[in-house]
């Protein structure tokens, strides 16, 4: 779908945290060609796809290794030839998404634009990512408490905090510039917007076609415009409430 937010092209993300620590990676196993010459089956990718569906629908802790193995028609023990633990599967699914979201938030926060244009650019980018990879970002959002409890995911928890700090910096600049309400609660604003965007992406990608669930009548641009108008009316300085919504075109 060609949408306005496609102009916000993200740069590549590395697998390092801010303190230079390498994100944990296992070398991918190259699938072996079949004896009859047909394309090889990449079991690792099948496992990741099955786990993504399971984690998104039922949650990480409620999903068992046996269920994932059954979904790809292998024995549980065979799954451990590809991944050492269930945590490693989860990491492989969400790592790049979390680091990329962090990188984009920090990049947008540093752009030479006023705070409102940067905030709009951030929402545009985030909604585009959430709808493009809805299950992955739903897992990253839903498992946030698990990440905080696990030392294994410290670097991803840190990346999520760095992403929050970039959002916070943009909103703080907007208050200082007189663009946003002087009494704006930054924490509640970020928390509410993130939840709203996650719910909107889920609705947009997974609506069931029922009469009451009429998202099929909305383009992604229309959904984005609604969210931008809704949020900006809530956070703008009162004297600016009726101003037009900016739509910055940004090349990253």
């Amino acid at each position: 779908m060609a949408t306005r937010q496609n102009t916000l092209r993200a740069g590549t993300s590395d697998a390092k945290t801010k303190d230079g620590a390498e994100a944990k990676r296992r070398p991918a196993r190259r699938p072996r060609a079949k004896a009859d010459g047909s394309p090889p089956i990449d079991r690792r990718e099948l496992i990741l796809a099955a786990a993504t569906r399971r984690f998104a629908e039922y949650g990480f802790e409620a999903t068992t290794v046996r269920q994932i193995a059954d979904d790809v028609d292998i024995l549980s023990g065979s799954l451990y030839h590809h991944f050492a633990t269930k945590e490693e599967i989860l990491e492989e699914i969400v790592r790049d998404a979390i680091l990329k979201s962090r990188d984009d938030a920090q990049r947008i926060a540093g752009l030479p634009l006023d705070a409102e244009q940067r905030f709009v650019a951030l929402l545009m980018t985030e909604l585009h990512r959430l709808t493009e990879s809805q299950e992955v970002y739903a897992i990253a959002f839903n498992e946030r408490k698990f990440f905080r409890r696990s030392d294994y995911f410290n670097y991803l928890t840190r990346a999520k905090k760095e992403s929050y700090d970039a959002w916070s910096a943009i909103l703080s600049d907007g208050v200082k510039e007189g663009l946003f309400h002087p009494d704006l609660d930054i924490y509640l604003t970020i928390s509410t917007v993130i939840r709203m965007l996650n719910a909107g992406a889920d609705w947009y990608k997974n609506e069931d076609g029922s009469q009451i669930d009429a998202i099929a009548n909305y383009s992604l641009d229309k959904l984005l415009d609604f969210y931008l108008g809704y949020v900006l009316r809530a956070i703008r300085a009162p004297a600016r409430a009726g101003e037009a919504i900016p739509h910055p075109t940004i090349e990253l």
Side-chain angles (χ1 to χ4, degrees):
M1 181 183 299
T3 59
R4 180 170 52 242
Q5 57 267 38
N6 286 342
T7 61
L8 304 182
R9 293 190 309 219
T12 58
S13 170
D14 60 23
K16 294 184 179 180
T17 61
K18 277 295 184 182
D19 59 6
E22 289 282 351
K24 300 179 289 299
R25 287 183 183 271
R26 290 184 56 166
R29 295 173 181 264
R30 182 173 298 175
R32 297 179 181 178
K34 291 183 178 180
D36 62 4
S38 60
I41 297 174
D42 191 335
R43 294 288 185 192
R44 185 180 176 86
E45 291 304 315
L46 290 177
I47 291 166
L48 289 172
T52 299
R53 291 190 297 269
R54 287 270 178 188
F55 295 164
E57 185 170 359
Y58 302 108
F60 171 75
E61 293 181 280
T63 298
T64 68
V65 169
R66 179 181 291 277
Q67 288 171 331
I68 298 170
D70 286 346
D71 286 347
V72 295
D73 197 27
I74 63 174
L75 298 174
S76 298
S78 298
L79 185 146
Y80 290 112
H81 290 299
H82 302 277
F83 297 96
T85 63
K86 192 172 67 162
E87 286 77 10
E88 190 176 285
I89 299 173
L90 175 61
E91 179 190 23
E92 187 77 6
I93 291 169
V94 303
R95 177 190 59 233
D96 290 347
I98 291 175
L99 296 181
K100 187 62 179 171
S101 184
R102 186 273 313 275
D103 291 349
D104 282 347
Q106 291 181 329
R107 192 176 296 113
I108 290 170
L111 291 174
L113 299 170
D114 69 41
E116 183 165 281
Q117 291 185 77
R118 284 180 284 149
F119 187 66
V120 168
L122 194 54
L123 264 68
M124 291 167 68
T125 302
E126 193 74 6
L127 184 61
H128 177 66
R129 287 202 181 285
L130 291 173
T131 53
E132 188 175 57
S133 303
Q134 189 271 324
E135 285 185 324
V136 172
Y137 280 97
I139 295 167
F141 179 75
N142 293 334
E143 301 300 337
R144 62 195 182 281
K145 293 181 180 179
F146 176 77
F147 294 147
R148 290 195 292 266
R149 296 197 307 267
S150 172
D151 290 342
Y152 185 90
F153 292 100
N154 275 346
Y155 79 101
L156 292 182
T157 300
R158 193 158 54 244
K160 289 169 75 71
K161 174 61 166 57
E162 290 163 351
S163 180
Y164 171 88
D165 289 343
W167 282 71
S168 180
I170 292 173
L171 290 174
S172 295
D173 287 347
V175 173
K176 293 174 186 175
E177 295 166 13
L179 298 172
F180 300 151
H181 198 287
D183 296 324
L184 181 67
D185 189 313
I186 291 174
Y187 171 78
L188 287 180
T189 297
I190 295 172
S191 179
T192 299
V193 169
I194 292 296
R195 283 168 167 77
M196 180 184 71
L197 294 179
N198 272 277
D202 182 25
W203 182 38
Y204 184 80
K205 295 293 289 188
N206 300 315
E207 66 91 15
D208 62 10
S210 63
Q211 185 174 3
I212 196 170
D213 202 357
I215 192 62
N217 298 324
Y218 292 86
S219 68
L220 193 55
D221 276 342
K222 189 170 182 180
L223 187 63
L224 174 64
D225 283 341
F226 173 80
Y227 285 152
L228 288 175
Y230 191 86
V231 173
L232 289 179
R233 283 193 297 270
I235 70 172
R236 274 176 166 173
R240 301 187 58 248
E243 291 185 17
I245 298 170
H247 290 97
T249 299
I250 303 168
E251 299 290 338
L252 294 178

